[in-house]
Amino acid sequence: MHELSIATALAESLLDYSKEHKVKITCAHVKAGILSGIDPEALQFAWEPALENFPDSGLENCRLAIKMALLKHRCQNCGKEFEFDTWRMECPECGKESLHRESGNEFLLESIEVENV
Ligand SMILES: [Zn+2]
Protein backbone atom coordinates (compact mmCIF):
# COMPACT_ATOMS: atom_id res chain seq x y z
CA MET A 1 0.00 0.00 0.00
CA HIS A 2 1.45 3.27 -1.24
CA GLU A 3 0.22 5.50 1.61
CA LEU A 4 1.47 3.16 4.32
CA SER A 5 5.01 3.36 2.98
CA ILE A 6 4.76 7.15 2.77
CA ALA A 7 3.44 7.32 6.32
CA THR A 8 6.16 5.00 7.57
CA ALA A 9 8.89 7.03 5.89
CA LEU A 10 7.42 10.19 7.37
CA ALA A 11 7.28 8.65 10.86
CA GLU A 12 10.93 7.59 10.48
CA SER A 13 12.07 11.09 9.69
CA LEU A 14 10.00 12.52 12.57
CA LEU A 15 11.57 10.01 14.89
CA ASP A 16 15.06 11.02 13.77
CA TYR A 17 14.19 14.63 14.38
CA SER A 18 12.73 14.00 17.82
CA LYS A 19 15.81 12.03 18.89
CA GLU A 20 18.20 14.62 17.56
CA HIS A 21 16.42 17.57 19.14
CA LYS A 22 15.13 15.75 22.24
CA VAL A 23 11.54 16.75 21.73
CA LYS A 24 8.25 14.92 21.56
CA ILE A 25 6.41 15.60 18.32
CA THR A 26 2.69 15.96 18.93
CA CYS A 27 1.54 16.91 15.46
CA ALA A 28 3.04 16.86 11.97
CA HIS A 29 1.64 19.13 9.28
CA VAL A 30 2.20 17.92 5.77
CA LYS A 31 1.31 19.41 2.43
CA ALA A 32 0.61 17.31 -0.63
CA GLY A 33 0.20 18.63 -4.12
CA ILE A 34 -2.95 17.47 -5.83
CA LEU A 35 -0.84 15.83 -8.56
CA SER A 36 1.29 13.98 -6.01
CA GLY A 37 -0.93 10.93 -6.22
CA ILE A 38 -1.47 11.02 -2.48
CA ASP A 39 -4.94 10.27 -1.24
CA PRO A 40 -5.30 12.27 1.98
CA GLU A 41 -7.91 9.94 3.47
CA ALA A 42 -5.80 6.87 2.76
CA LEU A 43 -2.75 8.59 4.21
CA GLN A 44 -4.64 9.56 7.35
CA PHE A 45 -5.90 6.02 7.61
CA ALA A 46 -2.36 4.66 7.24
CA TRP A 47 -0.90 6.91 9.91
CA GLU A 48 -1.79 4.85 12.97
CA PRO A 49 -0.61 1.52 11.50
CA ALA A 50 2.61 3.28 10.46
CA LEU A 51 3.19 4.48 14.02
CA GLU A 52 2.74 0.93 15.28
CA ASN A 53 6.10 0.18 13.63
CA PHE A 54 7.73 2.41 16.22
CA PRO A 55 6.56 1.29 19.65
CA ASP A 56 7.72 3.27 22.69
CA SER A 57 9.20 5.90 20.44
CA GLY A 58 7.25 8.83 21.84
CA LEU A 59 5.48 9.18 18.51
CA GLU A 60 2.46 7.10 19.52
CA ASN A 61 0.17 10.07 19.99
CA CYS A 62 1.52 12.19 17.20
CA ARG A 63 -1.23 13.49 14.97
CA LEU A 64 -1.00 13.98 11.25
CA ALA A 65 -2.55 17.04 9.64
CA ILE A 66 -2.73 16.84 5.87
CA LYS A 67 -3.29 19.80 3.63
CA MET A 68 -3.80 19.41 -0.09
CA ALA A 69 -2.12 22.12 -2.12
CA LEU A 70 -3.48 23.61 -5.30
CA LEU A 71 -1.39 23.87 -8.44
CA LYS A 72 0.71 26.98 -8.64
CA HIS A 73 1.00 28.49 -12.08
CA ARG A 74 3.11 31.37 -13.29
CA CYS A 75 2.40 33.20 -16.51
CA GLN A 76 5.45 33.40 -18.71
CA ASN A 77 3.97 36.39 -20.48
CA CYS A 78 2.84 38.74 -17.70
CA GLY A 79 4.59 37.12 -14.73
CA LYS A 80 1.49 36.83 -12.55
CA GLU A 81 0.96 33.80 -10.31
CA PHE A 82 -2.23 31.82 -9.88
CA GLU A 83 -3.47 28.73 -8.09
CA PHE A 84 -5.95 26.33 -9.65
CA ASP A 85 -7.20 22.88 -8.82
CA THR A 86 -6.45 21.68 -12.33
CA TRP A 87 -3.69 22.27 -14.80
CA ARG A 88 -4.51 25.24 -17.01
CA MET A 89 -2.81 26.94 -19.92
CA GLU A 90 -4.65 30.21 -20.35
CA CYS A 91 -3.69 33.14 -18.16
CA PRO A 92 -6.75 34.82 -16.57
CA GLU A 93 -4.85 38.10 -16.51
CA CYS A 94 -3.48 38.55 -20.00
CA GLY A 95 -5.36 35.79 -21.82
CA LYS A 96 -2.24 34.21 -23.35
CA GLU A 97 -1.73 30.47 -23.26
CA SER A 98 1.51 30.87 -21.42
CA LEU A 99 0.95 29.47 -17.95
CA HIS A 100 3.69 27.31 -16.57
CA ARG A 101 2.89 24.90 -13.76
CA GLU A 102 5.29 25.29 -10.85
CA SER A 103 4.05 22.82 -8.28
CA GLY A 104 1.61 20.01 -7.74
CA ASN A 105 3.74 16.89 -7.18
CA GLU A 106 5.17 17.95 -3.88
CA PHE A 107 4.90 16.17 -0.60
CA LEU A 108 6.35 18.33 2.14
CA LEU A 109 6.59 18.30 5.87
CA GLU A 110 5.56 21.89 6.50
CA SER A 111 5.76 22.16 10.26
CA ILE A 112 5.66 20.19 13.45
CA GLU A 113 4.32 20.82 16.92
CA VAL A 114 6.60 19.70 19.69
CA GLU A 115 6.80 19.36 23.44
CA ASN A 116 10.07 19.35 25.29
CA VAL A 117 10.91 16.12 27.05
ZN1 LIG B 1 -0.44 36.37 -18.21
Side-chain angles (χ1 to χ4, degrees), residues 1-15 28 41-64 66 107:
M1 189 177 138
H2 181 58
E3 273 78 9
L4 183 57
S5 56
I6 293 170
T8 304
L10 178 63
E12 259 169 22
S13 58
L14 292 176
L15 198 54
E41 279 178 29
L43 184 58
Q44 193 71 63
F45 192 70
W47 185 236
E48 261 186 54
L51 291 181
E52 282 168 13
N53 294 320
F54 308 97
D56 303 320
S57 62
L59 269 189
E60 294 85 355
N61 299 317
C62 180
R63 288 178 302 119
L64 180 65
I66 305 163
F107 180 65

Side-chain angles (χ1 to χ4, degrees), residues 47-88:
W47 185 236
E48 261 186 54
L51 291 181
E52 282 168 13
N53 294 320
F54 308 97
D56 303 320
S57 62
L59 269 189
E60 294 85 355
N61 299 317
C62 180
R63 288 178 302 119
L64 180 65
I66 305 163
K67 193 170 85 183
M68 297 306 284
L70 294 175
L71 303 181
K72 265 200 196 105
H73 294 66
R74 181 194 294 275
C75 178
Q76 292 175 310
N77 182 53
C78 70
K80 287 237 160 62
E81 289 184 19
F82 306 93
E83 286 190 331
F84 304 117
D85 58 2
T86 56
W87 188 5
R88 287 167 62 167

Side-chain angles (χ1 to χ4, degrees), residues 75 77-79 91 93-95 98:
C75 178
N77 182 53
C78 70
C91 175
E93 187 72 21
C94 67
S98 52

